[in-house]
Amino acid sequence: MGEPMTRADDRELLKTAYEAWEAENWAVAGELLERLVRRHPDLPPSGVWWYDAALAHKFLRNWAKAYELGREAAARAERGTEDPAFWNLGIAATIMEDWAIARDAWRGFGLTVPDGDGEIVTDFGVAPVRLMEGEVVWARRLCPTRARVLNVPTPESGRRFGEVVVHDGAPNGERTVDGQSFPVFDELLLFRASDLPTTTVEVVAGTPEDVRALAALFDEHGYAAEPASGVRMICSCCSEGSVAQDAHHQVTGGQRVHLAAPVDEIPGLMGRWHAGAPERRSWTEPVRG
């Protein structure tokens, strides 16, 4: 056990650390809490201090430090009880690509993840993810904290179809589709980029089937087509609440479509789509890359 915390300067350090915490001064809070736990690593309350020190560095996006301190916090947490120390360590270890520690952290939290030595790749279902710029997209979760983007984000989002992002574990809002609710997770960072650029074209689609045919054609080639009509602009306070969506809504007529595909392949694919029903389908050259 560490020494009892009897020194006046230790008590003042603790007080100042949590004053900084209340002020959301994460740099100061993290530094002071780490100083305190280095002096008293195993006092009964030290598990909370290790956790908070790691969390402060998570808020700062200082992942190396969040990983280092998070390992100490998890070592003092009870396994199998959904202790958040394991979840935050799982995030930090994933970002640091220490897959052995990440696996152990998820299992310590109480989750089941596949054995192996490399990246954790399994199916944790689909979920909406709020990208850095605020746009919410659908993504397939590859592990408890990584997800591959399934939509074609708008060019302004800074993200692309197929990219893998790391997301937080605490839900921030929800989306309801056909009566089923899905928690929305906030993106923390880009984990793996996509080499498929986003190009926007103007199309005319006479029927909902024409819109579905366009999406299916690009999907067959491992690409994606996303009508801009499917993008809803929602203020941040509403986005972080509960939002209902219609999974079957298809807008016809003239509209913009975001395409995730190599630029030189787009004319051929769009030509094939047009040829399938030329009396109802048309398109123009890209308006934005």
Side-chain angles (χ1 to χ4, degrees):
M1 297 290 290
E3 296 179 3
M5 197 178 74
T6 57
R7 293 164 44 181
D9 61 330
D10 285 338
R11 294 193 293 272
E12 183 62 26
L13 189 63
L14 180 63
K15 176 176 178 289
T16 304
Y18 278 107
E19 287 175 347
W21 184 280
E22 290 300 320
E24 298 187 359
N25 187 340
W26 309 123
V28 171
E31 177 189 352
L32 297 184
L33 285 169
E34 182 182 4
R35 192 185 307 171
L36 184 65
V37 291
R38 297 294 183 192
R39 292 180 186 173
H40 306 285
D42 294 311
L43 284 180
S46 71
V48 174
W49 301 339
W50 282 111
Y51 173 80
D52 286 345
L55 186 59
H57 286 287
K58 176 192 172 189
F59 292 152
L60 291 167
R61 304 298 189 255
N62 182 346
W63 298 112
K65 203 68 177 175
Y67 168 81
E68 175 191 346
L69 300 175
R71 292 187 66 173
E72 298 286 353
R76 293 161 176 81
E78 184 178 353
R79 297 180 69 87
T81 63
E82 298 189 358
D83 191 302
F86 290 107
W87 195 283
N88 285 342
L89 175 58
I91 292 174
T94 296
I95 292 170
M96 300 301 292
E97 300 192 50
D98 187 333
W99 301 110
I101 294 297
R103 279 182 170 82
D104 186 69
W106 300 131
R107 290 166 179 161
F109 184 82
L111 299 176
T112 299
V113 293
D115 293 330
D117 298 321
E119 290 187 23
I120 302 170
V121 179
T122 186
D123 186 359
F124 271 74
V126 296
V129 174
R130 182 177 293 103
L131 303 176
M132 287 291 190
E133 296 301 318
E135 185 173 332
V136 176
V137 298
W138 287 90
R140 181 163 298 282
R141 298 176 70 196
L142 307 177
C143 74
T145 195
R146 285 159 50 249
R148 179 174 287 111
V149 176
L150 299 175
N151 291 122
V152 184
T154 62
E156 295 80 9
S157 74
R159 291 287 173 263
R160 292 176 169 183
F161 166 77
E163 289 188 323
V164 177
V165 299
V166 175
H167 62 75
D168 208 349
N172 187 15
E174 67 177 19
R175 295 294 183 270
T176 302
V177 180
D178 296 339
Q180 182 177 358
S181 294
F182 298 84
V184 180
F185 299 102
D186 289 336
E187 177 193 352
L188 294 175
L189 55 75
L190 176 65
F191 185 82
R192 183 159 292 118
S194 168
D195 59 0
L196 291 178
T198 302
T199 302
T200 304
V201 298
E202 296 278 359
V203 308
V204 175
T207 69
E209 177 54 37
D210 294 324
V211 178
R212 288 191 287 270
L214 179 59
L217 175 63
F218 275 73
D219 183 64
E220 288 171 10
H221 290 77
Y223 308 142
E226 184 92 14
S229 58
V231 178
R232 296 175 60 191
M233 304 307 294
I234 303 172
C235 68
S236 60
C237 60
C238 294
S239 176
E240 294 172 4
S242 179
V243 179
Q245 295 178 261
D246 180 359
H248 307 291
H249 180 66
Q250 298 282 356
V251 174
T252 59
Q255 59 188 295
R256 286 186 171 189
V257 175
H258 303 305
L259 306 174
V263 174
D264 59 355
E265 293 189 34
I266 289 175
L269 290 169
M270 293 303 298
R272 285 179 56 187
W273 174 75
H274 167 73
E279 71 283 3
R280 299 193 311 267
R281 304 174 184 175
S282 64
W283 72 287
T284 60
E285 292 298 321
V287 296
R288 188 189 309 136

